[in-house]
Amino acid sequence: MFLFFNGDGKLIHQSDVTPDVGTINDVADIALDPNKRAESYAHRYESGERTLNFLASFAAFNIVTKDTTLAIEVGEKLFEIYPYENLGSRTSWKITKKCILDVNNGFAKYWFNNYSKAKDYEIEDGHAGGENNVFTRIIQNSLIGSRSRFYNIGQLNKIRKYMEIIGAGQYADSYLWELEAKAFIREGNLLKALATGNNIIDKFKENGSARVYITSVFIDNFPNSTFINDARKWLSSSLESISQDNQKAEYYYESARLYKLSGKLDLAKKEAKMAMDFASKNDVLNPKFETLNNSLNI
């Protein structure tokens, strides 16, 4: 990849380059033309330009500049105009490698379901294993940002399936548990949500801080108190593996919130005071500790 900057250090163009003098000079000539280089892409896109080569270049540039939202949008437009009969082509795979960030994009769906063909292309090009780098990037980008908060269980099951396809199924629980628990809660399947919590808790038996975080997710999102007995068990063996004061503050904070939810206010006050004390030791200035403490001492 070649990146071109102006004298002020601003990125003005990006391109893949075939390593020969003629191609490099051609790309450089484009970088010198304000109407053709990458910094013109946004205006051209807003003006309605929708050719295949242009959209591919714009999507790739958005990935380089980390404009994920626009990269996903342009990737969708790219799939809309791409000939369906050519989805299995090298060009289609190259577009997926360079331009696609979202598991819900049509290119991504095709190639996840035709994993062996992508693998063969990478082997033929001398990049054995490169397909997993592409698929991993797509999955990771699909799980960060605001859009992942609204995935339903069906969508998350597809991502779990894709992780299994690329040989990463053993990491699926760690990547997906929180999104799955929240999706089950939104969809009213509280038993499944709680089962998800118990499953992931078992995977973090020696990690008290992780167990505290898992508990916090359920306190923040569960719509009733039926999870409290399970959550109390999650916390019960957490403290012994927590050594840092700031992490102890988080433990006592979540413990106090659980006691408050179950109506055990005396215990809640005691734990909230402990949270404040450990937060103060570590100069943790998060106002949530004082807010909780004050709410219990009104």
Side-chain angles (χ1 to χ4, degrees):
M1 181 184 295
F2 270 17
L3 302 176
F4 295 83
F5 299 85
N6 65 15
D8 296 322
K10 178 184 177 184
L11 179 65
I12 60 172
H13 191 62
Q14 166 268 335
S15 179
D16 292 339
V17 181
T18 303
D20 63 71
V21 173
T23 303
I24 292 172
N25 284 337
D26 288 344
V27 172
D29 287 340
I30 292 173
L32 288 169
D33 189 334
N35 296 315
K36 293 181 179 180
R37 64 192 181 209
E39 68 175 357
S40 73
Y41 290 168
H43 174 71
R44 290 160 60 185
Y45 181 74
E46 291 169 4
S47 299
E49 187 169 345
R50 293 293 187 273
T51 63
L52 185 65
N53 287 339
F54 168 71
L55 289 176
S57 296
F58 191 27
F61 185 66
N62 287 324
I63 290 175
V64 170
T65 59
K66 301 188 185 300
D67 190 337
T68 302
T69 300
L70 193 52
I72 291 172
E73 177 185 321
V74 177
E76 287 295 326
K77 299 296 182 185
L78 190 55
F79 182 72
E80 287 175 8
I81 67 168
Y82 195 80
Y84 181 81
E85 63 273 15
N86 294 338
L87 271 178
S89 68
R90 283 182 175 275
T91 299
S92 169
W93 174 237
K94 184 176 180 180
I95 287 172
T96 304
K97 290 174 65 173
K98 301 294 184 181
C99 307
I100 305 303
L101 292 178
D102 184 15
V103 293
N104 294 310
N105 182 280
F107 286 109
K109 290 178 180 179
Y110 175 86
W111 286 106
F112 273 114
N113 289 307
N114 290 274
Y115 174 81
S116 60
K117 185 181 289 188
K119 182 178 181 179
D120 289 343
Y121 280 150
E122 289 298 290
I123 292 173
E124 291 170 12
D125 291 342
H127 306 137
E131 69 285 348
N132 274 5
N133 294 332
V134 176
F135 291 130
T136 298
R137 187 200 71 226
I138 292 172
I139 289 171
Q140 288 177 335
N141 277 281
S142 298
L143 294 177
I144 61 176
S146 59
R147 67 191 187 282
S148 65
R149 292 181 298 173
F150 304 104
Y151 289 162
N152 59 38
I153 288 299
Q155 290 171 306
L156 293 169
N157 284 341
K158 283 185 180 178
I159 294 176
R160 185 176 283 274
K161 173 189 171 185
Y162 292 156
M163 293 183 73
E164 291 170 355
I165 287 172
I166 68 172
Q170 68 269 35
Y171 306 115
D173 286 342
S174 296
Y175 271 89
L176 299 175
W177 74 266
E178 184 172 349
L179 294 173
E180 288 174 336
K182 290 177 179 178
F184 280 130
I185 290 170
R186 286 195 306 273
E187 296 170 17
N189 198 336
L190 302 186
L191 290 178
K192 282 282 191 179
L194 197 52
T196 300
N198 280 305
N199 176 61
I200 196 64
I201 278 289
D202 284 343
K203 295 181 181 296
F204 288 98
K205 291 179 179 178
E206 307 301 323
N207 189 332
S209 294
R211 295 166 73 91
V212 170
Y213 178 76
I214 294 165
T215 304
S216 76
V217 170
F218 278 79
I219 293 174
D220 289 338
N221 293 279
F222 216 79
N224 59 42
S225 61
T226 56
F227 77 102
I228 289 177
N229 288 338
D230 289 86
R232 179 54 62 188
K233 293 176 184 176
W234 300 346
L235 281 183
S236 63
S237 59
S238 300
L239 188 58
E240 60 191 36
S241 64
I242 297 175
S243 59
Q244 297 180 7
D245 287 342
N246 63 322
Q247 294 175 351
K248 288 181 180 179
E250 295 294 337
Y251 166 84
Y252 284 110
Y253 175 79
E254 301 304 342
S255 180
R257 291 211 292 162
L258 273 182
Y259 280 130
K260 182 180 179 182
L261 285 173
S262 59
K264 298 178 180 179
L265 298 185
D266 288 341
L267 289 172
K269 290 178 183 180
K270 179 182 177 182
E271 301 288 80
K273 176 63 166 55
M274 293 288 286
M276 283 280 290
D277 290 344
F278 278 109
S280 299
K281 281 185 181 181
N282 204 55
D283 293 326
V284 177
L285 302 179
N286 192 322
K288 70 180 186 180
F289 297 105
E290 186 173 358
T291 300
L292 177 62
N293 195 63
N294 290 341
S295 72
L296 290 165
N297 288 284
I298 295 175

